[in-house]
């Protein structure tokens, strides 16, 4: 069993527990539930940099990346740097995140927020909306075509955008459907943690143009972005590269200025 399989087993248990404590009706009374969301796909189409900056404390492959910042410091720094959007990891066990991080981020900035999570249930999409997210992530590796369809349509009905993550041709082919806004290619193989920009390059031509193309993981230089832009990528998700520094916002500012 690989790390992704473990995460999904734990996540399904977690959702069952949460449902027993916080009913859907309570989520739907959140002050954020009627909030008009901000479109990340539109911001990426109009941007020259396309940076989606990530708040990430740790990961299964790297253990602790940075625990020294407050969420507010990080996300305000990213917004000031000119990021198009911010990805907020909300998984607790493996990434040290929480839904509180999402709420704090929403209270601090006015740019699109992605709930970065292992989504397996509509309940988690309601949580995302209730905690101020503008879009959700769906991971093709852990969902069937039918699940991708029902979860993405559910999100769209709530006014949330959908970023679908793939990292091979098979996942991409099973996933293409009108209820997605962005297709992200993860340059890190979630089963082996091997990282290569070739994943993004190889799949680029197979992603239809109506979807905004996003390259995720392993992007640590301006050169990498220059390399990917000719392949049609408009979005670049960067987390570790900023978070591992002493000042994530400053690192993002310097990076975006170089672009």
């Amino acid at each position: 069993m690989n790390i992704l399989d473990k995460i999904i087993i734990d996540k399904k248990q977690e959702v069952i527990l949460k449902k027993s404590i916080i009913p859907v009706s309570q989520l739907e009374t959140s002050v954020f539930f009627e909030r008009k969301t901000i479109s990340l796909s539109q911001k990426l189409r109009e941007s020259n940099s396309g940076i989606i900056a990530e708040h990430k404390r740790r990961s299964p492959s790297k253990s602790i990346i940075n625990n020294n910042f407050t969420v507010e410091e990080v996300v305000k720094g990213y917004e000031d740097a000119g990021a198009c959007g911010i990805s907020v990891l909300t998984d607790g066990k493996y990434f040290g995140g929480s839904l509180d991080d999402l709420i704090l981020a929403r209270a601090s900035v006015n740019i699109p927020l992605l709930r970065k999570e292992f989504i397996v249930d509509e309940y988690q999409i309601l949580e995302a909306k209730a905690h101020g997210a503008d879009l959700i992530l769906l991971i093709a590796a852990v969902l069937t075509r039918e699940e991708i369809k029902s979860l993405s349509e559910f999100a769209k009905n709530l006014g949330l955008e959908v970023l679908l993550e793939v990292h091979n041709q098979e996942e991409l082919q099973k996933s293409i459907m009108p209820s997605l806004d962005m297709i992200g290619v993860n340059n890190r193989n979630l089963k082996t943690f091997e990282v290569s920009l070739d994943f993004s390059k190889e799949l680029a031509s197979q992603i239809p143009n109506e979807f905004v193309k996003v390259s995720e993981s392993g992007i640590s230089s301006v050169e990498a972005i220059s390399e990917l832009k000719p392949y049609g990528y408009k979005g670049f998700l960067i987390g570790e590269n900023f978070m591992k520094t002493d000042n994530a916002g400053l690192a993002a500012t310097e990076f975006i200025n170089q672009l």
Side-chain angles (χ1 to χ4, degrees):
M1 186 188 292
N2 61 50
I3 186 73
L4 190 57
D5 296 331
K6 278 194 196 127
I7 291 173
I8 296 303
I9 289 167
D10 287 343
K11 195 55 62 180
K12 287 180 174 171
Q13 283 298 113
E14 185 187 301
V15 172
I16 291 166
L17 280 173
K18 281 187 167 182
K19 281 180 173 176
S20 70
I21 300 165
I22 302 171
V24 166
S25 56
Q26 191 174 324
L27 294 174
E28 290 174 340
T29 59
S30 156
V31 291
F32 292 127
F33 220 80
E34 299 306 317
R35 172 184 163 270
K36 190 174 181 337
T37 51
I38 316 165
S39 168
L40 178 63
S41 61
Q42 194 177 336
K43 281 199 176 289
L44 292 175
R45 280 197 175 96
E46 294 164 357
S47 167
N48 291 325
S49 75
I51 300 298
I52 307 161
E54 188 158 82
H55 178 269
K56 175 158 99 172
R57 289 188 183 87
R58 58 186 169 89
S59 73
S61 61
K62 288 276 165 70
S63 65
I64 289 173
I65 298 164
N66 202 322
N67 273 332
N68 300 329
F69 302 133
T70 66
V71 175
E72 298 94 318
E73 284 169 336
V74 173
V75 298
K76 279 181 175 161
Y78 285 160
E79 184 177 44
D80 292 344
C84 292
I86 298 170
S87 164
V88 181
L89 268 146
T90 60
D91 173 77
K93 182 173 178 181
Y94 296 91
F95 291 88
S98 74
L99 280 164
D100 285 347
D101 292 343
L102 192 55
I103 278 209
L104 289 169
R106 179 75 289 150
S108 305
V109 298
N110 197 32
I111 58 175
L113 293 181
L114 164 70
R115 181 186 187 189
K116 184 92 173 284
E117 183 55 272
F118 299 87
I119 289 181
V120 291
D121 194 287
E122 288 178 358
Y123 182 84
Q124 293 162 289
I125 302 174
L126 289 166
E127 283 182 324
K129 178 73 172 168
H131 289 77
D134 297 283
L135 63 150
I136 58 153
L137 176 77
L138 295 178
I139 301 172
V142 301
L143 299 167
T144 64
R145 180 175 174 82
E146 291 66 36
E147 287 168 334
I148 293 167
K149 185 174 190 294
S150 65
L151 291 169
S152 58
E153 286 175 356
F154 186 78
K156 298 296 283 183
N157 286 336
L158 288 175
L160 296 168
E161 287 195 322
V162 180
L163 168 62
L164 180 98
E165 176 179 301
V166 299
H167 58 268
N168 60 39
Q169 192 173 355
E170 187 188 347
E171 288 174 9
L172 178 62
Q173 283 176 339
K174 80 169 180 187
S175 306
I176 292 173
M177 58 187 74
S179 45
L180 309 174
D181 300 281
M182 293 154 276
I183 293 181
V185 180
N186 194 338
N187 298 309
R188 177 179 285 114
N189 183 321
L190 292 176
K191 292 172 182 170
T192 63
F193 286 104
E194 171 209 356
V195 177
S196 169
L197 294 183
D198 290 342
F199 289 120
S200 283
K201 292 176 184 175
E202 285 161 13
L203 290 179
S205 63
Q206 295 167 55
I207 300 172
N209 287 333
E210 65 258 35
F211 305 109
V212 174
K213 295 179 195 175
V214 178
S215 186
E216 309 170 23
S217 295
I219 299 169
S220 57
S221 67
V222 170
E223 290 73 32
I225 290 179
S226 305
E227 226 178 287
L228 290 168
K229 277 190 170 175
Y231 289 86
Y233 285 94
K234 290 278 188 194
F236 308 93
L237 196 146
I238 302 177
E240 225 160 273
N241 201 47
F242 302 147
M243 287 297 293
K244 69 185 180 187
T245 66
D246 294 331
N247 186 327
L250 183 63
T253 301
E254 288 170 353
F255 192 96
I256 290 169
N257 286 345
Q258 282 180 46
L259 284 171

